[in-house]
Amino acid sequence: MRRTAFLVTVTALLLGTLTVPATTAHRAEAAPATFVHPGVTVSRAQLDFARRQVDAGAQPWKGAFDRMLASKYADLNRVPRPRAIVECGSYSNPNYGCTDEREDALAAYTHALAWYVTRDERHARKSIELMDAWSAVIRDHTNSNAPLQTGWAGSSWPRAAEIIKHAYTGTWANSGRFATMLRDVYLPEIINGSNSNGNWELSMMEAAIGISVFLEDRTSYDKAMARFRTRTAAYVYLASDGALPKTVPSQNLNTREKIVAYWQGQSTFVTGLSQETCRDFTHTGYGLSAISHVAETSRIQGQDLYGTDVGERLRHALGFHAKYQLGTAAPDWLCGGSLVLGLGPVTEVGYNALHNRLGIAMTNTQTLTLQNRPAGTNNLFVAWETLTHGDNTA
């Protein structure tokens, strides 16, 4: 029996299909002893930098702020549209409150940013109005896309709440009710992850980590971070991973055939390739954005995911996809020579951290980032990152 087990292990190692649990493969950074606030994706120092640049009329920040303020998300006449049950099916069918929830969460964040820059009380009150409306009503997310929907909306809510609770000098009487909403409605839906395409779990862990910061929940933070580290390693391939990409244990991708099928039929693996590259760049962008957001939140909380394989995978993935997004033709070995582009406004956070802060050359990512400025929103969970992170090393 021992000899058989040994042979199975050796065979798995040779195939590159042996998956090592996250606790031994790589250490997931623990939650900080004391949480930093505001501390979800953007810090107080970064907000102060952005405010100074806008006040000075400096570019690209002033242009980014103007674009944000002109968007529907900054409308002071916006009326919240909360629901007790948000039902989201595959391909948005049905869509009962899904768009409303995501956009109200983005609007809450947008108004929080607008208040921080302008100190116009109306924006802070609108952000609070949106958060209060949903915390008073929502009870559950249902149908097949419920985990992803919860991850998307749950990524935006704590960004807004962190700014209002920890920077706004006015009152937010229902902040406790909002915290209860995040703890009881959102966190249970996302904390245990997903075995769907990798962007699902990455967005869900982004939301779980952001919520954990707001709630100062160290246990949930650690659990979400461990799952995030495992998923990130399984989402972006590095040559150092071996002949085949890393996998998530619960998915039982224990043969080459299963792995290739999960990687959208791609059988040649090169550094920077994503599990969803051959699906399309848009979904890949969701995954890369979530990776950058978690890395940035972790940095604010005193850790350094950028200095781990997370940063290495993010750097190579951004560069790999930026190259083709900029127009390089796909070789035959990559997705059969046909790519579906549309990476989205997802490069600012990773580019700023890796290039501007750490000094790493990122030629293709830089070209794409500058070309896309000022970055707007994907109307799901990414918003205004030229304003908050463009050339911002604070």
Side-chain angles (χ1 to χ4, degrees):
M1 183 67 72
R2 289 179 181 174
R3 185 172 182 274
T4 301
F6 173 76
L7 289 173
V8 169
T9 300
V10 170
T11 301
L13 285 169
L14 290 172
L15 287 173
T17 58
L18 184 65
T19 303
V20 183
T23 52
T24 56
H26 40 58
R27 184 177 67 87
E29 279 75 3
T34 303
F35 284 97
V36 175
H37 303 290
V40 176
T41 310
V42 61
S43 68
R44 186 185 295 269
Q46 289 171 312
L47 290 166
D48 286 341
F49 173 88
R51 186 183 184 210
R52 288 195 301 271
Q53 301 308 310
V54 174
D55 284 348
Q59 299 297 350
W61 305 277
K62 180 62 166 62
F65 178 74
D66 290 344
R67 181 176 183 182
M68 182 186 80
L69 217 57
S71 75
K72 63 182 179 180
Y73 299 110
D75 184 1
L76 288 165
N77 295 312
R78 185 181 189 88
V79 177
R81 302 184 67 180
R83 282 176 178 255
I85 307 296
V86 174
E87 184 179 357
C88 308
S90 298
Y91 302 102
S92 300
N93 184 25
N95 180 344
Y96 298 140
C98 315
T99 302
D100 292 336
E101 180 189 30
R102 293 193 305 266
E103 294 194 349
D104 276 351
L106 282 170
Y109 177 53
T110 300
H111 282 289
L113 288 175
W115 168 79
Y116 201 97
V117 172
T118 66
R119 292 304 194 266
D120 184 336
E121 292 276 334
R122 296 175 300 167
H123 287 295
R125 289 195 294 268
K126 180 58 68 172
S127 183
I128 290 170
E129 178 189 344
L130 290 159
M131 291 189 284
D132 283 355
W134 280 89
S135 69
V137 172
I138 191 168
R139 296 294 176 264
D140 199 10
H141 297 86
T142 64
N143 216 315
S144 58
N145 270 25
L148 182 60
Q149 170 72 18
T150 309
W152 282 342
S155 294
S156 297
W157 286 129
R159 287 188 216 131
E162 280 282 294
I163 294 172
I164 295 300
K165 182 175 181 180
H166 297 286
Y168 178 52
T169 53
T171 58
W172 182 15
N174 292 313
S175 63
R177 188 179 72 195
F178 184 82
T180 298
M181 176 191 80
L182 294 181
R183 182 182 297 107
D184 295 348
V185 178
Y186 287 80
L187 200 53
E189 185 70 44
I190 56 179
I191 192 63
N192 292 316
S194 166
N195 287 325
S196 185
N197 281 302
N199 81 86
W200 277 50
E201 187 162 84
L202 289 167
S203 287
M204 292 162 68
M205 292 310 102
E206 176 190 346
I209 288 166
I211 289 169
S212 297
V213 170
F214 182 74
L215 297 178
E216 299 195 333
D217 183 340
R218 302 183 79 251
T219 299
S220 292
Y221 185 101
D222 289 348
K223 183 175 182 179
M225 187 63 77
R227 192 173 293 276
F228 167 80
R229 292 293 300 272
T230 300
R231 175 60 70 175
T232 299
Y235 194 69
V236 176
Y237 176 80
L238 295 177
S240 57
D241 293 338
L244 293 172
K246 292 181 180 292
T247 63
V248 174
S250 59
Q251 293 191 264
N252 297 311
L253 300 174
N254 51 12
T255 68
R256 178 181 176 83
E257 289 71 26
K258 289 182 181 179
I259 291 173
V260 168
Y262 185 60
W263 281 63
Q264 321 295 326
Q266 177 70 14
S267 58
T268 299
F269 301 100
V270 298
T271 292
L273 183 77
S274 156
Q275 180 254 315
E276 296 188 272
T277 300
C278 294
R279 180 187 185 187
D280 59 60
F281 276 31
T282 300
H283 286 88
T284 299
Y286 298 165
L288 299 185
S289 183
I291 291 171
S292 69
H293 292 165
V294 172
E296 193 69 359
T297 295
S298 176
R299 183 191 68 82
I300 295 167
Q301 297 304 324
Q303 307 295 344
D304 180 24
L305 286 183
Y306 290 116
T308 71
D309 75 297
V310 172
E312 189 74 356
R313 293 176 197 278
L314 179 61
R315 174 171 74 90
H316 285 295
L318 287 174
F320 181 87
H321 293 88
K323 173 183 175 180
Y324 295 106
Q325 184 67 40
L326 288 166
T328 296
D332 290 341
W333 59 262
L334 178 60
C335 310
S338 179
L339 298 173
V340 181
L341 304 179
L343 195 59
V346 303
T347 63
E348 286 279 17
V349 175
Y351 169 73
N352 182 59
L354 294 164
H355 176 74
N356 292 327
R357 187 175 290 115
L358 298 182
I360 300 170
M362 299 175 70
T363 305
N364 289 322
T365 305
Q366 180 178 34
T367 300
L368 183 62
T369 301
L370 298 181
Q371 178 179 295
N372 288 342
R373 285 181 174 174
T377 175
N378 69 355
N379 300 305
L380 298 173
F381 71 105
V382 179
W384 322 125
E385 293 181 351
T386 298
L387 173 64
T388 55
H389 291 81
D391 301 334
N392 186 339
T393 57

